[in-house]
Amino acid sequence: MTTTTQFISTATLSLLICLSSPVGMAQEKREFFDDFQGQTLSPAFRVLNPDRQRMALTQDEFLLLVSHKDKKNVIEYNGLLPENYVVTIRLAGTPSERQQGVQIRIGDASNNVRVGVYVDYYKSLYQFTNKTLDNEDAKEISIRDDGLLGEPLYLKFTKTDVEFEGASSPDGVQWSSLGKQVLIDPSAKVNFEVYGWGDAPESPIKIDSFEIVDITN
C-alpha cells in the first residue's frame, strides 16, 4: 500500500510540473543590472557626447542627467545583447518642466526605435513609442497622462525578433503597452538619454536603475 501511494504521488507531482512549465514557455535571465550605487559609471556603458557639467552619480542613489538641446551624455550599453531581450529603466521622477524628455533608444541617430516620456510646451506629459528610418520620423504612438508629471516611472522595450513593444509602469508590476515599432538591425545598440528643445531651461532627471533581461524561447 505504501509503495502504491508513493507511485501515485510521484506521478501526480510529475503531471503538475508538466502543467506548470509548458513546452516553449519563455524563460528569463538577467543579463545586466545597475542601480548606480557606485562612485563611477559601470564599464559596460559608454558616454556619447560627454559633458561632465551635466552628468553625475549622486549620493550612491541614482544617475543624474541634465537635459540639453544637443543631447549631451547619451548612455550607450556596450555589453553583448541577447537575440531577444527586455531593457528597462526606472526614473526617480519623470520630467516636470516643459519641453523636456527622456527615452530608451535602440539604434543610432539615423535609424532607431524609441520609447519614452516628454512634456510639451503646455506642460502636458506624453508617453510614447516612435521610430526613425533614414533620418525620417514615423508617426508617433502617444498617450497623454498629466498625472505622471514628476512621478517615478518604469519604461521598457521588449524585443522579439524585429519587433519592439514599449511599455510603462508606476511600480514595475502592472504595465501599460505603449505600442509596437519594427527595426531590422541585428547590431543596434541600446541607449538611454534625456533631452530638451525650444527655449526650455535645462532640467535634471534622475535614472534610478537600468536592466537587460534575456528572453529565451
Side-chain angles (χ1 to χ4, degrees), residues 40-112:
T40 59
L41 199 62
S42 167
F45 295 118
R46 181 165 70 113
V47 183
L48 308 179
N49 200 13
D51 184 344
R52 293 183 181 179
Q53 300 301 315
R54 293 179 172 87
M55 181 179 75
L57 286 163
T58 304
Q59 301 171 349
D60 290 336
E61 292 181 4
F62 46 75
L63 173 63
L64 185 147
L65 299 173
V66 178
S67 63
H68 192 275
K69 297 175 188 177
D70 295 329
K71 291 188 178 179
K72 303 285 188 177
N73 301 311
V74 176
I75 309 299
E76 180 180 88
Y77 175 68
N78 280 310
L80 292 176
L81 289 169
E83 180 179 356
N84 294 311
Y85 60 84
V86 180
V87 53
T88 306
I89 61 172
R90 182 182 186 275
L91 310 179
T94 64
S96 56
E97 298 294 331
R98 62 183 176 85
Q99 297 169 290
Q100 313 286 333
V102 56
Q103 63 187 15
I104 300 171
R105 172 168 58 86
I106 314 296
D108 59 26
S110 301
N111 297 282
N112 62 69

